Amino acid sequence: MIAIVDYGMGNLRSVYNAFKKVAPNLNVVITSDATEIRKADRVVFPGQGAMPDCVRELSSLGLTDVVIESTRNKPFLGICIGLQMLHDFSDEGGVNGLSVIPGKVVKFRPKNHFNKVPHMGWNQVSQIRDHFIWNGINNNERFYFVHSYYVEPENKKMIAAKCSYEAPFCCAISKDNIFAVQFHPEKSSTSGLQLLQNFTRWKI
Amino acid sequence: MLAKRIIPCLDVTDGRVVKGVNFVDLIDAGDPVEIAKKYNDQGADELTFLDITASSDNRGLILNIIEKVAEQVFIPLTVGGGVREINDIRRLLNAGADKVSINTAAIHNPSLVSNAANRFGSQCIVVAIDAKKTGDHWEIFTHGGRNSTGINAVSWAQEMAERGAGELLVTSMDRDGTKSGFDNKLNKEISSRVNVPIIASGGVGNLDHMVEGVINGHADAVLAASIFHFGEYTIEDAKAYMRNKLIEVR
Protein backbone atom coordinates (compact mmCIF):
# COMPACT_ATOMS: atom_id res chain seq x y z
CA MET A 1 0.00 0.00 0.00
CA ILE A 2 1.08 3.56 -0.78
CA ALA A 3 -0.07 6.16 1.71
CA ILE A 4 -0.31 9.76 0.55
CA VAL A 5 -0.16 11.84 3.72
CA ASP A 6 -3.12 14.22 3.87
CA TYR A 7 -2.77 17.06 6.37
CA GLY A 8 -5.31 19.35 4.77
CA MET A 9 -2.93 21.41 2.65
CA GLY A 10 -4.14 21.35 -0.89
CA ASN A 11 -5.52 18.86 -3.28
CA LEU A 12 -3.86 15.44 -3.32
CA ARG A 13 -6.05 14.03 -6.00
CA SER A 14 -3.51 14.70 -8.78
CA VAL A 15 -0.91 12.71 -6.86
CA TYR A 16 -3.43 9.91 -6.33
CA ASN A 17 -4.54 9.96 -10.00
CA ALA A 18 -0.94 9.81 -11.20
CA PHE A 19 -0.15 6.77 -9.05
CA LYS A 20 -3.32 5.03 -10.22
CA LYS A 21 -2.26 5.74 -13.79
CA VAL A 22 1.22 4.18 -13.45
CA ALA A 23 0.26 1.39 -11.03
CA PRO A 24 -3.45 0.61 -11.47
CA ASN A 25 -3.26 -2.51 -9.31
CA LEU A 26 -1.59 -0.87 -6.35
CA ASN A 27 -3.58 0.10 -3.31
CA VAL A 28 -3.15 3.86 -3.02
CA VAL A 29 -4.78 5.78 -0.18
CA ILE A 30 -5.00 9.44 0.73
CA THR A 31 -4.94 9.40 4.50
CA SER A 32 -4.67 11.40 7.73
CA ASP A 33 -4.61 8.25 9.83
CA ALA A 34 -1.29 7.62 11.58
CA THR A 35 -2.00 3.89 11.90
CA GLU A 36 -2.60 3.58 8.19
CA ILE A 37 0.55 5.55 7.37
CA ARG A 38 2.51 3.30 9.74
CA LYS A 39 1.12 0.22 7.96
CA ALA A 40 1.90 1.48 4.45
CA ASP A 41 4.79 0.02 2.43
CA ARG A 42 5.55 3.38 0.89
CA VAL A 43 4.82 6.92 1.97
CA VAL A 44 4.30 9.99 -0.18
CA PHE A 45 4.63 13.32 1.59
CA PRO A 46 3.27 16.14 -0.59
CA GLY A 47 2.64 19.74 0.32
CA GLN A 48 1.59 23.03 -1.16
CA GLY A 49 0.94 26.53 0.03
CA ALA A 50 3.11 28.09 2.72
CA MET A 51 5.46 25.99 4.84
CA PRO A 52 4.44 27.51 8.21
CA ASP A 53 0.82 26.45 7.53
CA CYS A 54 1.97 22.98 6.46
CA VAL A 55 4.06 22.47 9.61
CA ARG A 56 1.19 23.66 11.80
CA GLU A 57 -1.46 21.50 10.11
CA LEU A 58 0.73 18.41 10.14
CA SER A 59 1.31 18.88 13.84
CA SER A 60 -2.32 19.67 14.68
CA LEU A 61 -3.36 16.39 13.06
CA GLY A 62 -0.76 14.57 15.13
CA LEU A 63 1.09 13.32 12.05
CA THR A 64 4.55 14.82 12.60
CA ASP A 65 5.93 11.76 14.43
CA VAL A 66 4.63 9.18 11.99
CA VAL A 67 6.06 11.14 9.05
CA ILE A 68 9.48 11.36 10.72
CA GLU A 69 9.25 7.65 11.52
CA SER A 70 8.43 6.85 7.87
CA THR A 71 11.55 8.70 6.72
CA ARG A 72 13.60 6.08 8.56
CA ASN A 73 12.18 2.78 7.45
CA LYS A 74 10.40 2.69 4.08
CA PRO A 75 10.51 4.21 0.61
CA PHE A 76 9.59 7.81 1.20
CA LEU A 77 8.83 10.40 -1.47
CA GLY A 78 8.65 14.09 -0.59
CA ILE A 79 7.11 16.50 -3.09
CA CYS A 80 7.48 20.31 -3.12
CA ILE A 81 6.78 21.58 0.44
CA GLY A 82 7.12 17.90 1.40
CA LEU A 83 10.80 18.23 0.44
CA GLN A 84 11.21 21.58 2.17
CA MET A 85 9.63 20.41 5.44
CA LEU A 86 12.24 17.68 5.85
CA HIS A 87 14.84 20.38 6.52
CA ASP A 88 15.68 22.14 9.80
CA PHE A 89 14.40 25.60 9.13
CA SER A 90 12.67 27.78 6.54
CA ASP A 91 13.03 31.49 5.93
CA GLU A 92 9.34 31.38 5.06
CA GLY A 93 7.78 32.58 8.29
CA GLY A 94 10.95 31.62 10.18
CA VAL A 95 9.53 28.20 10.95
CA ASN A 96 11.25 24.97 12.03
CA GLY A 97 10.88 21.89 9.85
CA LEU A 98 11.13 18.21 10.75
CA SER A 99 14.97 18.18 10.87
CA VAL A 100 15.24 14.94 8.94
CA ILE A 101 17.71 16.55 6.54
CA PRO A 102 20.20 19.06 7.97
CA GLY A 103 19.78 22.29 6.09
CA LYS A 104 17.50 25.21 5.44
CA VAL A 105 14.94 26.59 3.03
CA VAL A 106 15.59 29.97 1.42
CA LYS A 107 13.80 32.31 -0.95
CA PHE A 108 14.63 33.09 -4.56
CA ARG A 109 15.88 36.65 -4.86
CA PRO A 110 16.55 37.07 -8.55
CA LYS A 111 18.59 40.09 -9.58
CA ASN A 112 17.41 39.82 -13.14
CA HIS A 113 13.87 41.15 -13.41
CA PHE A 114 13.05 38.66 -16.17
CA ASN A 115 13.22 35.94 -13.55
CA LYS A 116 9.91 35.99 -11.77
CA VAL A 117 9.00 34.56 -8.38
CA PRO A 118 7.42 32.03 -8.08
CA HIS A 119 9.71 30.00 -10.29
CA MET A 120 6.86 28.58 -12.34
CA GLY A 121 6.96 26.27 -15.32
CA TRP A 122 9.02 23.56 -16.95
CA ASN A 123 12.69 23.55 -16.09
CA GLN A 124 15.54 21.13 -16.62
CA VAL A 125 16.52 18.67 -13.92
CA SER A 126 20.16 17.74 -14.08
CA GLN A 127 20.85 14.49 -12.32
CA ILE A 128 23.86 14.77 -10.03
CA ARG A 129 23.88 11.17 -8.90
CA ASP A 130 22.65 7.84 -10.25
CA HIS A 131 19.52 6.65 -8.57
CA PHE A 132 16.87 4.03 -9.22
CA ILE A 133 14.30 6.84 -9.30
CA TRP A 134 15.95 8.27 -12.45
CA ASN A 135 15.47 5.05 -14.43
CA GLY A 136 14.13 5.78 -17.90
CA ILE A 137 14.37 9.55 -17.36
CA ASN A 138 16.84 11.49 -19.48
CA ASN A 139 19.32 13.75 -17.80
CA ASN A 140 18.18 17.38 -18.10
CA GLU A 141 14.60 16.30 -18.69
CA ARG A 142 12.06 19.03 -17.92
CA PHE A 143 9.71 18.86 -14.93
CA TYR A 144 7.02 21.25 -13.74
CA PHE A 145 7.99 23.58 -10.90
CA VAL A 146 6.03 26.11 -8.91
CA HIS A 147 7.76 27.48 -5.82
CA SER A 148 9.30 30.60 -4.31
CA TYR A 149 11.63 28.87 -1.84
CA TYR A 150 14.25 26.16 -2.38
CA VAL A 151 16.32 23.89 -0.14
CA GLU A 152 19.97 24.12 0.82
CA PRO A 153 20.97 20.80 2.41
CA GLU A 154 24.17 21.01 4.46
CA ASN A 155 25.48 17.73 3.15
CA LYS A 156 25.99 18.29 -0.57
CA LYS A 157 26.23 14.54 -1.08
CA MET A 158 22.49 14.36 -0.52
CA ILE A 159 21.84 16.43 -3.65
CA ALA A 160 20.38 14.10 -6.26
CA ALA A 161 19.59 16.77 -8.84
CA LYS A 162 20.02 20.44 -9.53
CA CYS A 163 18.02 22.92 -11.51
CA SER A 164 19.02 26.41 -12.55
CA TYR A 165 17.08 29.61 -12.09
CA GLU A 166 19.57 32.43 -12.41
CA ALA A 167 21.79 30.22 -10.23
CA PRO A 168 21.84 26.46 -9.67
CA PHE A 169 19.75 25.17 -6.78
CA CYS A 170 19.05 21.75 -5.30
CA CYS A 171 15.81 20.31 -6.71
CA ALA A 172 16.07 16.72 -5.46
CA ILE A 173 17.65 15.07 -2.47
CA SER A 174 18.25 11.44 -1.68
CA LYS A 175 19.31 9.79 1.53
CA ASP A 176 18.90 6.07 2.18
CA ASN A 177 15.16 5.37 1.80
CA ILE A 178 14.27 9.04 1.23
CA PHE A 179 13.86 10.67 -2.14
CA ALA A 180 12.36 14.14 -2.29
CA VAL A 181 11.82 16.57 -5.13
CA GLN A 182 10.99 20.24 -5.44
CA PHE A 183 9.13 19.83 -8.74
CA HIS A 184 5.73 18.19 -9.21
CA PRO A 185 6.08 14.75 -10.83
CA GLU A 186 2.30 14.38 -10.79
CA LYS A 187 2.09 17.40 -13.11
CA SER A 188 5.14 16.65 -15.23
CA SER A 189 3.55 14.51 -17.93
CA THR A 190 5.44 11.40 -19.07
CA SER A 191 8.71 12.07 -17.24
CA GLY A 192 6.83 12.73 -14.01
CA LEU A 193 4.77 9.57 -14.39
CA GLN A 194 7.97 7.61 -15.02
CA LEU A 195 9.44 8.95 -11.78
CA LEU A 196 6.34 7.95 -9.82
CA GLN A 197 6.32 4.51 -11.39
CA ASN A 198 9.97 4.09 -10.42
CA PHE A 199 9.07 5.03 -6.86
CA THR A 200 6.44 2.26 -6.75
CA ARG A 201 9.16 -0.24 -7.74
CA TRP A 202 12.03 1.13 -5.68
CA LYS A 203 13.37 -1.38 -3.18
CA ILE A 204 15.50 -0.25 -0.29
CA MET B 1 16.70 27.15 -18.33
CA LEU B 2 13.05 27.78 -17.57
CA ALA B 3 10.93 27.25 -20.68
CA LYS B 4 8.35 29.73 -21.95
CA ARG B 5 4.98 28.05 -21.73
CA ILE B 6 2.39 27.53 -24.45
CA ILE B 7 -1.13 27.26 -23.08
CA PRO B 8 -4.13 26.35 -25.21
CA CYS B 9 -7.37 27.79 -23.86
CA LEU B 10 -10.58 25.78 -24.06
CA ASP B 11 -13.90 27.62 -23.83
CA VAL B 12 -16.42 25.35 -22.20
CA THR B 13 -20.16 25.78 -22.08
CA ASP B 14 -22.73 23.28 -20.85
CA GLY B 15 -20.10 20.56 -20.70
CA ARG B 16 -18.77 20.94 -24.24
CA VAL B 17 -15.84 22.79 -25.76
CA VAL B 18 -17.00 25.48 -28.14
CA LYS B 19 -15.17 27.66 -30.57
CA GLY B 20 -16.13 30.94 -32.07
CA VAL B 21 -14.91 34.47 -32.46
CA ASN B 22 -15.65 36.93 -29.67
CA PHE B 23 -18.14 34.51 -28.13
CA VAL B 24 -20.39 34.85 -31.19
CA ASP B 25 -21.46 32.00 -33.50
CA LEU B 26 -20.26 29.36 -31.10
CA ILE B 27 -19.95 25.94 -32.63
CA ASP B 28 -19.45 22.65 -30.84
CA ALA B 29 -15.80 21.64 -30.95
CA GLY B 30 -16.08 18.41 -29.05
CA ASP B 31 -15.53 16.62 -25.82
CA PRO B 32 -13.31 18.49 -23.32
CA VAL B 33 -11.52 15.35 -22.16
CA GLU B 34 -10.64 14.27 -25.70
CA ILE B 35 -9.45 17.75 -26.64
CA ALA B 36 -7.42 18.07 -23.45
CA LYS B 37 -5.74 14.74 -24.19
CA LYS B 38 -4.98 15.81 -27.73
CA TYR B 39 -3.28 19.02 -26.61
CA ASN B 40 -1.40 17.16 -23.91
CA ASP B 41 -0.13 14.67 -26.49
CA GLN B 42 0.99 17.58 -28.67
CA GLY B 43 3.10 18.90 -25.79
CA ALA B 44 0.96 21.66 -24.28
CA ASP B 45 2.64 22.97 -21.13
CA GLU B 46 -0.61 23.66 -19.31
CA LEU B 47 -4.31 23.81 -20.14
CA THR B 48 -6.72 26.60 -19.34
CA PHE B 49 -10.46 25.99 -19.23
CA LEU B 50 -12.73 28.98 -19.39
CA ASP B 51 -16.26 28.21 -18.24
CA ILE B 52 -18.56 30.44 -20.29
CA THR B 53 -21.73 28.60 -19.27
CA ALA B 54 -24.48 31.20 -19.03
CA SER B 55 -27.02 29.29 -16.96
CA SER B 56 -26.22 28.71 -13.33
CA ASP B 57 -27.96 25.30 -13.57
CA ASN B 58 -25.14 23.95 -15.68
CA ARG B 59 -22.24 25.53 -13.82
CA GLY B 60 -21.50 22.33 -11.94
CA LEU B 61 -20.68 20.57 -15.21
CA ILE B 62 -17.22 22.09 -15.25
CA LEU B 63 -16.39 20.19 -12.06
CA ASN B 64 -17.19 16.89 -13.78
CA ILE B 65 -15.05 17.83 -16.72
CA ILE B 66 -12.08 18.80 -14.57
CA GLU B 67 -12.37 15.57 -12.60
CA LYS B 68 -12.28 13.52 -15.78
CA VAL B 69 -9.45 15.50 -17.34
CA ALA B 70 -7.37 15.30 -14.15
CA GLU B 71 -7.61 11.51 -14.23
CA GLN B 72 -5.98 11.35 -17.62
CA VAL B 73 -3.93 14.45 -18.23
CA PHE B 74 -0.91 15.10 -16.01
CA ILE B 75 -0.02 18.71 -16.68
CA PRO B 76 -1.22 21.80 -14.79
CA LEU B 77 -4.88 22.68 -15.27
CA THR B 78 -6.26 26.18 -14.77
CA VAL B 79 -9.96 26.92 -14.60
CA GLY B 80 -11.61 30.31 -14.84
CA GLY B 81 -15.05 31.75 -15.44
CA GLY B 82 -17.71 32.41 -12.83
CA VAL B 83 -15.37 32.17 -9.85
CA ARG B 84 -17.04 34.34 -7.20
CA GLU B 85 -16.15 33.09 -3.76
CA ILE B 86 -13.74 30.98 -1.74
CA ASN B 87 -16.05 27.98 -2.02
CA ASP B 88 -15.96 28.12 -5.84
CA ILE B 89 -12.18 27.96 -5.64
CA ARG B 90 -12.23 25.10 -3.18
CA ARG B 91 -14.61 23.07 -5.36
CA LEU B 92 -12.48 23.56 -8.46
CA LEU B 93 -9.24 22.66 -6.67
CA ASN B 94 -10.88 19.57 -5.18
CA ALA B 95 -12.09 18.54 -8.62
CA GLY B 96 -8.49 18.58 -9.82
CA ALA B 97 -7.73 22.13 -10.95
CA ASP B 98 -4.20 23.22 -10.08
CA LYS B 99 -4.95 26.90 -10.45
CA VAL B 100 -8.09 28.95 -10.43
CA SER B 101 -8.43 32.15 -12.35
CA ILE B 102 -10.36 35.04 -10.78
CA ASN B 103 -11.59 37.88 -12.94
CA THR B 104 -14.66 40.04 -12.26
CA ALA B 105 -14.97 38.92 -8.65
CA ALA B 106 -11.54 40.40 -7.92
CA ILE B 107 -12.79 43.78 -9.11
CA HIS B 108 -15.92 43.66 -6.94
CA ASN B 109 -14.04 42.25 -3.99
CA PRO B 110 -10.23 42.54 -4.14
CA SER B 111 -9.88 40.89 -0.74
CA LEU B 112 -11.09 37.64 -2.35
CA VAL B 113 -7.64 37.43 -3.94
CA SER B 114 -5.80 37.94 -0.63
CA ASN B 115 -8.10 35.51 1.16
CA ALA B 116 -7.75 32.88 -1.55
CA ALA B 117 -3.96 33.24 -1.63
CA ASN B 118 -3.79 32.91 2.15
CA ARG B 119 -6.07 29.92 2.16
CA PHE B 120 -4.80 27.94 -0.81
CA GLY B 121 -1.40 29.46 -1.59
CA SER B 122 -0.41 31.97 -4.26
CA GLN B 123 0.68 29.16 -6.56
CA CYS B 124 -2.94 28.34 -7.39
CA ILE B 125 -4.37 31.84 -7.68
CA VAL B 126 -4.35 33.46 -11.10
CA VAL B 127 -5.89 36.87 -11.62
CA ALA B 128 -7.30 37.50 -15.08
CA ILE B 129 -7.03 41.09 -16.23
CA ASP B 130 -9.08 42.23 -19.21
CA ALA B 131 -7.56 45.52 -20.31
CA LYS B 132 -8.36 48.01 -23.02
CA LYS B 133 -6.40 51.02 -24.20
CA THR B 134 -8.09 54.23 -23.06
CA GLY B 135 -6.25 57.40 -24.09
CA ASP B 136 -2.62 57.04 -23.00
CA HIS B 137 -3.16 54.16 -20.58
CA TRP B 138 -5.04 50.90 -20.19
CA GLU B 139 -8.17 50.35 -18.14
CA ILE B 140 -9.83 47.25 -16.77
CA PHE B 141 -13.01 46.30 -18.60
CA THR B 142 -15.69 43.77 -17.73
CA HIS B 143 -18.42 42.04 -19.70
CA GLY B 144 -16.24 41.07 -22.62
CA GLY B 145 -14.80 44.54 -22.98
CA ARG B 146 -18.08 46.48 -22.93
CA ASN B 147 -18.00 48.01 -19.45
CA SER B 148 -15.17 50.19 -18.21
CA THR B 149 -14.34 50.12 -14.53
CA GLY B 150 -12.10 53.17 -14.67
CA ILE B 151 -9.35 51.16 -12.97
CA ASN B 152 -5.82 51.57 -14.34
CA ALA B 153 -4.74 48.13 -15.57
CA VAL B 154 -1.08 48.46 -14.66
CA SER B 155 -1.68 49.60 -11.09
CA TRP B 156 -4.36 46.93 -10.81
CA ALA B 157 -1.83 44.30 -11.86
CA GLN B 158 0.53 45.56 -9.15
CA GLU B 159 -2.19 45.46 -6.53
CA MET B 160 -3.22 41.93 -7.48
CA ALA B 161 0.37 40.69 -7.27
CA GLU B 162 0.74 42.36 -3.87
CA ARG B 163 -2.46 40.71 -2.70
CA GLY B 164 -1.00 37.33 -3.51
CA ALA B 165 -1.86 36.43 -7.09
CA GLY B 166 0.76 33.91 -8.19
CA GLU B 167 0.31 34.71 -11.83
CA LEU B 168 -1.48 37.24 -14.04
CA LEU B 169 -3.41 36.38 -17.18
CA VAL B 170 -3.43 39.58 -19.20
CA THR B 171 -5.95 39.79 -22.03
CA SER B 172 -6.07 42.73 -24.39
CA MET B 173 -9.71 43.39 -25.17
CA ASP B 174 -8.58 45.49 -28.13
CA ARG B 175 -6.82 42.52 -29.64
CA ASP B 176 -8.99 39.61 -28.53
CA GLY B 177 -10.46 37.89 -31.58
CA THR B 178 -8.66 40.15 -34.05
CA LYS B 179 -5.77 37.81 -34.89
CA SER B 180 -3.49 40.87 -35.02
CA GLY B 181 -1.16 39.82 -32.20
CA PHE B 182 -0.90 40.52 -28.48
CA ASP B 183 -0.81 44.04 -27.09
CA ASN B 184 2.89 43.71 -26.33
CA LYS B 185 3.20 47.25 -24.96
CA LEU B 186 0.60 46.42 -22.33
CA ASN B 187 2.24 43.13 -21.45
CA LYS B 188 5.71 44.61 -21.28
CA GLU B 189 4.49 47.41 -19.05
CA ILE B 190 2.85 45.00 -16.63
CA SER B 191 5.69 42.49 -16.77
CA SER B 192 8.20 45.20 -15.82
CA ARG B 193 6.09 46.33 -12.84
CA VAL B 194 5.28 43.03 -11.18
CA ASN B 195 7.47 40.17 -10.07
CA VAL B 196 5.02 37.32 -10.81
CA PRO B 197 4.74 35.50 -14.15
CA ILE B 198 2.57 36.99 -16.89
CA ILE B 199 0.50 35.02 -19.38
CA ALA B 200 -0.16 36.99 -22.57
CA SER B 201 -3.60 36.50 -24.07
CA GLY B 202 -5.81 37.92 -26.80
CA GLY B 203 -5.02 38.34 -30.45
CA VAL B 204 -2.85 35.45 -31.58
CA GLY B 205 -3.32 34.86 -35.31
CA ASN B 206 -0.01 33.27 -36.24
CA LEU B 207 3.16 31.86 -34.74
CA ASP B 208 5.10 35.11 -35.07
CA HIS B 209 2.62 36.63 -32.64
CA MET B 210 3.63 34.07 -30.04
CA VAL B 211 7.30 34.84 -30.58
CA GLU B 212 6.61 38.58 -30.28
CA GLY B 213 4.63 37.98 -27.10
CA VAL B 214 7.72 36.55 -25.47
CA ILE B 215 10.39 38.78 -26.99
CA ASN B 216 8.59 42.14 -27.18
CA GLY B 217 5.93 41.63 -24.53
CA HIS B 218 8.20 39.89 -21.99
CA ALA B 219 5.49 37.30 -21.36
CA ASP B 220 6.39 34.18 -19.40
CA ALA B 221 3.67 32.19 -21.13
CA VAL B 222 1.46 32.66 -24.17
CA LEU B 223 -2.16 31.61 -24.35
CA ALA B 224 -4.06 30.97 -27.55
CA ALA B 225 -7.36 29.45 -28.52
CA SER B 226 -8.48 29.66 -32.10
CA ILE B 227 -5.20 28.96 -33.90
CA PHE B 228 -5.07 25.59 -32.16
CA HIS B 229 -8.80 24.77 -32.19
CA PHE B 230 -9.25 25.36 -35.88
CA GLY B 231 -6.25 23.18 -36.59
CA GLU B 232 -4.20 25.93 -38.23
CA TYR B 233 -1.24 24.98 -36.08
CA THR B 234 -0.45 22.27 -33.58
CA ILE B 235 1.33 22.94 -30.30
CA GLU B 236 4.32 21.16 -31.84
CA ASP B 237 4.32 23.63 -34.75
CA ALA B 238 4.31 26.52 -32.31
CA LYS B 239 7.16 25.08 -30.27
CA ALA B 240 9.28 24.25 -33.30
CA TYR B 241 8.77 27.79 -34.55
CA MET B 242 9.66 29.38 -31.22
CA ARG B 243 12.68 27.13 -30.77
CA ASN B 244 13.86 28.24 -34.17
CA LYS B 245 13.66 31.83 -32.92
CA LEU B 246 15.90 30.81 -29.98
CA ILE B 247 13.10 30.85 -27.42
CA GLU B 248 13.48 28.18 -24.76
CA VAL B 249 10.53 25.77 -24.94
CA ARG B 250 9.86 22.30 -23.59
Side-chain angles (χ1 to χ4, degrees):
Chain A
M1 179 181 67
I2 298 186
I4 302 170
V5 182
D6 180 8
Y7 50 99
M9 289 302 294
N11 174 30
L12 306 180
R13 192 133 150 198
S14 315
V15 180
Y16 175 86
N17 286 340
F19 274 113
K20 289 311 272 184
K21 173 88 177 173
V22 298
N25 300 323
L26 264 183
N27 184 15
V28 184
V29 295
I30 298 176
T31 180
S32 309
D33 178 356
T35 315
E36 200 162 30
I37 297 167
R38 208 162 269 131
K39 265 191 346 210
D41 307 304
R42 294 164 199 278
V43 168
V44 179
F45 185 46
Q48 51 178 252
M51 183 161 144
D53 298 335
C54 290
V55 171
R56 188 190 63 234
E57 292 306 308
L58 187 73
S59 160
S60 75
L61 287 167
L63 295 176
T64 310
D65 289 346
V66 70
V67 168
I68 293 174
E69 195 183 304
S70 307
T71 63
R72 296 186 184 133
N73 57 20
K74 56 184 105 179
F76 182 98
L77 179 66
I79 299 174
C80 194
I81 309 285
L83 158 71
Q84 298 182 4
M85 283 170 78
L86 297 178
H87 291 71
D88 292 321
F89 177 82
S90 175
D91 280 348
E92 187 174 20
V95 72
N96 288 327
L98 307 183
S99 289
V100 170
I101 304 287
K104 59 181 182 172
V105 185
V106 296
K107 192 170 190 184
F108 282 117
R109 299 196 186 282
K111 293 183 188 75
N112 179 345
H113 191 78
F114 288 106
N115 288 332
K116 306 297 184 67
V117 180
H119 170 230
M120 184 188 284
W122 298 79
N123 207 339
Q124 290 168 298
V125 169
S126 102
Q127 302 166 14
I128 302 293
R129 289 198 288 123
D130 285 341
H131 198 286
F132 183 84
I133 294 287
W134 298 134
N135 279 352
I137 298 169
N138 291 331
N139 194 19
N140 296 319
E141 187 62 79
R142 288 182 187 276
F143 287 83
Y144 186 79
F145 288 82
V146 50
H147 62 126
S148 300
Y149 291 78
Y150 61 95
V151 298
E152 284 187 337
E154 276 170 23
N155 183 349
K156 303 300 174 211
K157 287 183 182 147
M158 289 183 188
I159 299 177
K162 282 188 181 176
C163 178
S164 187
Y165 195 52
E166 207 165 280
F169 68 92
C170 167
C171 69
I173 57 131
S174 78
K175 181 198 172 213
D176 308 325
N177 57 306
I178 304 171
F179 200 88
V181 296
Q182 180 60 65
F183 50 84
H184 288 270
E186 78 282 11
K187 285 290 154 185
S188 295
S189 198
T190 31
S191 29
L193 293 175
Q194 179 69 54
L195 187 150
L196 296 177
Q197 187 176 59
N198 293 343
F199 176 70
T200 67
R201 296 172 177 176
W202 179 29
K203 294 192 175 64
I204 56 161
Chain B
M1 203 173 152
L2 184 65
K4 298 296 176 185
R5 290 168 281 153
I6 297 183
I7 308 176
C9 179
L10 287 69
D11 290 336
V12 178
T13 183
D14 300 322
R16 300 286 288 179
V17 174
V18 289
K19 52 189 182 184
V21 176
N22 290 338
F23 300 120
V24 201
D25 300 328
L26 296 178
I27 53 169
D28 188 285
D31 175 52
V33 180
E34 290 308 312
I35 295 174
K37 277 163 72 177
K38 182 184 82 179
Y39 287 141
N40 176 52
D41 293 344
Q42 288 181 7
D45 296 309
E46 293 184 24
L47 295 174
T48 289
F49 295 83
L50 187 60
D51 185 8
I52 56 168
T53 303
S55 114
S56 54
D57 295 349
N58 290 337
R59 282 236 168 245
L61 287 173
I62 192 77
L63 297 174
N64 267 319
I65 291 169
I66 297 306
E67 278 178 20
K68 292 207 183 79
V69 172
E71 278 169 17
Q72 303 191 42
V73 173
F74 297 95
I75 56 175
L77 309 174
T78 302
V79 186
V83 175
R84 292 191 175 79
E85 49 184 75
I86 287 284
N87 266 332
D88 296 331
I89 300 172
R90 186 199 317 279
R91 278 192 287 270
L92 288 166
L93 294 175
N94 284 341
D98 298 286
K99 311 181 202 179
V100 171
S101 165
I102 308 174
N103 190 343
T104 316
I107 296 164
H108 296 315
N109 175 18
S111 62
L112 175 65
V113 174
S114 346
N115 293 342
N118 283 336
R119 186 77 66 91
F120 307 109
S122 289
Q123 82 288 340
C124 63
I125 304 301
V126 181
V127 171
I129 295 176
D130 292 347
K132 203 168 174 175
K133 189 90 195 246
T134 309
D136 61 351
H137 65 290
W138 293 270
E139 280 183 15
I140 303 289
F141 277 67
T142 60
H143 299 84
R146 290 194 302 278
N147 299 355
S148 172
T149 60
I151 300 170
N152 181 298
V154 176
S155 26
W156 180 247
Q158 289 173 295
E159 181 183 343
M160 290 297 102
E162 278 159 21
R163 283 184 179 272
E167 196 169 35
L168 301 174
L169 168 60
V170 183
T171 304
S172 160
M173 301 314 287
D174 299 308
R175 300 300 180 91
D176 204 27
T178 64
K179 290 182 165 283
S180 60
F182 296 119
D183 186 340
N184 291 314
K185 288 200 175 112
L186 165 68
N187 294 332
K188 185 181 175 185
E189 183 69 16
I190 291 181
S191 193
S192 69
R193 301 290 187 92
V194 300
N195 196 29
V196 298
I198 302 293
I199 307 167
S201 155
V204 173
N206 60 48
L207 301 182
D208 277 316
H209 292 153
M210 303 190 106
V211 170
E212 290 159 10
V214 170
I215 293 178
N216 303 337
H218 298 183
D220 302 283
V222 287
L223 180 134
S226 60
I227 65 160
F228 296 131
H229 297 332
F230 291 101
E232 289 163 67
Y233 303 101
T234 63
I235 310 280
E236 286 142 325
D237 293 337
K239 288 199 169 175
Y241 195 82
M242 290 169 84
R243 197 176 282 121
N244 198 31
K245 301 282 180 182
L246 304 179
I247 294 174
E248 192 86 9
V249 289
R250 178 167 72 105

